[in-house]
Each structure stands twice: as C-alpha cells, then as structure tokens.
Amino acid sequence: HDLIKQSWNFNSSGSRAAQLRNKLSNVRKSILKWNKQVFGRVETEIQEKQAQLQVLQNSISSVEDAKAEKTLRMEIETLLDREELMWAQKARTKWFLQGDRNTKFVHTSAVFRQKRNRITCLMDSLGNWVHSEGDIAALLRNGYQDLFSSSATSAPRAVWDIPTWPLCVPVEDSGQLISEINILEVKEALWSMKPFKAPGPDGLHAGFFQRYWSIVGETVFGEVKEIFANCAMPPHLNETLITLIP
C-alpha cells in the first residue's frame, strides 16, 4: 500500500491525461522493481524460512524460542500467500483465487496455459501455412485491415428532416443524459469489471484500481470527467491488446 501511494503521489506536470499516464508509468516501474527484489524471490525466501524453522524447532528450550518459532511460522504463512497469489495470476483459475493452497495442478495449469496461448503458425486465405513471426504479424495486420475497411468510395446521402423525428427519450430522462458525471458512477462501472481479467498494455488490471481506489480514485475520476466534458479521449487511454484464442 505504501509503495503504491508513494509511486502515485509523485509530482507530475502537464494535462490531466499526461499526469495520469505518468502516474501509471511510475507505478508500473515501482511494481516491477519490487517484484524483482521482493515478491519475485518468494520461493527462495520460503525455502530459507523453512530451513530456519526446522533448526529452531529442533532446539527450542525457552519461552523466547517458542515466540520466535511462532513468528517464523507466521512469516512463512505470509510468503505462502504471496506464492499463492503469484500462481493464481498465472493460472487464472477462479476457484484458486478463492482460497485453495498452491498445488502442482496449479503450476501445471499455468505452464499449460502459456503453451496453449502461443500461436506458432497460421493459415492464410490461400491455404498456405505461415510460420515466421514477421509473416504471422503481417497476416494478422492485413486481416484486420480488410475486416474494418471497405472498397466503397462513396455512400448515398439521404435528406434528413430532423425536426419531424419523434422524441425517443422521455423529458425526465434527457436531464440525466446531459447531467455531469459523478464519482459514484465511475466507481460503479469500475467495480462491475472482473478484477483479474487480462490487463491492458500498462499491465494493470481492474483489480489494481479497485484495490487502491482510495489512492488513485481522485485522479482517475478527474480524467474521466474531462473526457466527458471535452468529448475526446487521449489515444493512449484507448490502447488495448488483441489476443487470438487458438
């Protein structure tokens, strides 16, 4: 919590969009550094703590030793929780996220999922298999360009008589549509998302914003409010990752 707060509250200048982007980038760098130096060493720390516990349990001779043994067991339990969370994110198993301890099945699920999601070749429109990474990327890019483009050069223009259109929105509802967005609406929309679904290009999923809303909420809401006011979204906030499911 302190790491996120310190990383998020650093001084950043520029527009709201630029400040949000800089804060997210700074948090990501801090998390990566923390993961490498602290969280990522969890398996090694568990082995070290378990070895210390074994030595201590074989030589308990005082109340102080018993207290030290209890403290060490609590530290190991915390490390096991970290390991559980790490493998849960890799395996993406919902039942595991709700409390089952780290098992060989979960490790296997995570490894299998990584292999299953790797695309080694694709077939083009002529029935030929494409294997190289560059050719696969070009095939995907061209496929989406064809999907979202048209050969038509023009479209017939109809004469619209807008004043004669019937009212589709009741008067009492139209006021809500033009009313200013509030922070509760943004929070409700965020909490409607699955917390551990695939993250965006910044590596942060909805669960991050839900967990640390007390820290990031004001900045996020400020940017959302500005987007609604200006009717324009900064390009980097609309970036996403497209993944083909084999």
Side-chain angles (χ1 to χ4, degrees):
H1 190 277
D2 292 337
L3 174 68
I4 301 300
K5 188 175 182 179
Q6 182 179 1
S7 302
W8 189 266
N9 291 334
F10 86 109
N11 293 328
S12 178
S13 58
S15 64
R16 285 185 179 271
Q19 291 182 36
L20 179 59
R21 186 174 190 174
N22 292 337
K23 287 176 181 292
L24 290 173
S25 177
N26 194 51
V27 167
R28 183 174 182 274
K29 291 178 182 178
S30 298
I31 291 176
L32 289 174
K33 183 178 180 180
W34 173 80
N35 180 66
K36 183 177 181 180
Q37 298 179 351
V38 181
F39 192 86
R41 295 188 66 254
V42 62
E43 295 179 359
T44 302
E45 289 189 45
I46 289 175
Q47 294 176 358
E48 293 175 352
K49 295 290 184 182
Q50 288 177 336
Q52 295 175 18
L53 180 63
Q54 185 65 43
V55 173
L56 185 58
Q57 289 177 335
N58 292 335
S59 59
I60 292 180
S61 59
S62 64
V63 176
E64 287 72 18
D65 290 341
K67 291 181 179 180
E69 189 263 351
K70 181 179 180 180
T71 300
L72 200 53
R73 281 192 289 108
M74 292 176 64
E75 292 176 356
I76 292 175
E77 188 66 24
T78 300
L79 290 172
L80 289 172
D81 288 338
R82 285 188 189 176
E83 186 184 39
E84 180 180 2
L85 180 61
M86 178 179 67
W87 282 102
Q89 183 64 20
K90 290 183 178 181
R92 296 276 180 84
T93 51
K94 294 183 179 179
W95 58 266
F96 179 79
L97 289 174
Q98 302 186 3
D100 286 353
R101 180 58 75 190
N102 196 3
T103 64
K104 182 178 180 181
F105 169 74
V106 178
H107 287 240
T108 305
S109 298
V111 175
F112 176 75
R113 182 175 179 275
Q114 292 175 352
K115 291 182 178 179
R116 182 189 63 190
N117 288 349
R118 182 176 294 114
I119 297 175
T120 57
C121 60
L122 286 176
M123 181 181 292
D124 62 17
S125 59
L126 299 178
N128 301 317
W129 286 101
V130 177
H131 294 273
S132 70
E133 183 176 343
D135 291 340
I136 290 177
L139 180 62
L140 293 174
R141 183 172 58 253
N142 294 335
Y144 277 101
Q145 287 177 346
D146 293 340
L147 181 63
F148 294 104
S149 60
S150 173
S151 58
T153 57
S154 63
R157 175 180 293 182
V159 178
W160 289 0
D161 188 9
I162 297 179
T164 63
W165 287 6
L167 295 177
C168 298
V169 180
V171 177
E172 57 272 17
D173 293 338
S174 63
Q176 296 181 3
L177 294 176
I178 62 175
S179 63
E180 191 173 88
I181 190 171
N182 60 67
I183 194 169
L184 291 179
E185 292 178 296
V186 176
K187 187 175 181 180
E188 287 177 3
L190 175 61
W191 257 256
S192 68
M193 301 178 185
K194 299 290 185 181
F196 292 104
K197 287 297 184 179
D202 58 9
L204 302 175
H205 44 54
F208 166 81
F209 296 94
Q210 294 169 358
R211 174 66 177 82
Y212 297 106
W213 181 252
S214 61
I215 298 175
V216 307
E218 184 178 348
T219 305
V220 172
F221 170 65
E223 175 57 22
V224 173
K225 185 177 179 180
E226 189 168 293
I227 289 174
F228 274 85
N230 299 332
C231 299
M233 179 181 292
H236 72 271
L237 291 181
N238 204 30
E239 293 176 353
T240 187
L241 298 173
I242 298 177
T243 302
L244 299 183
I245 303 177

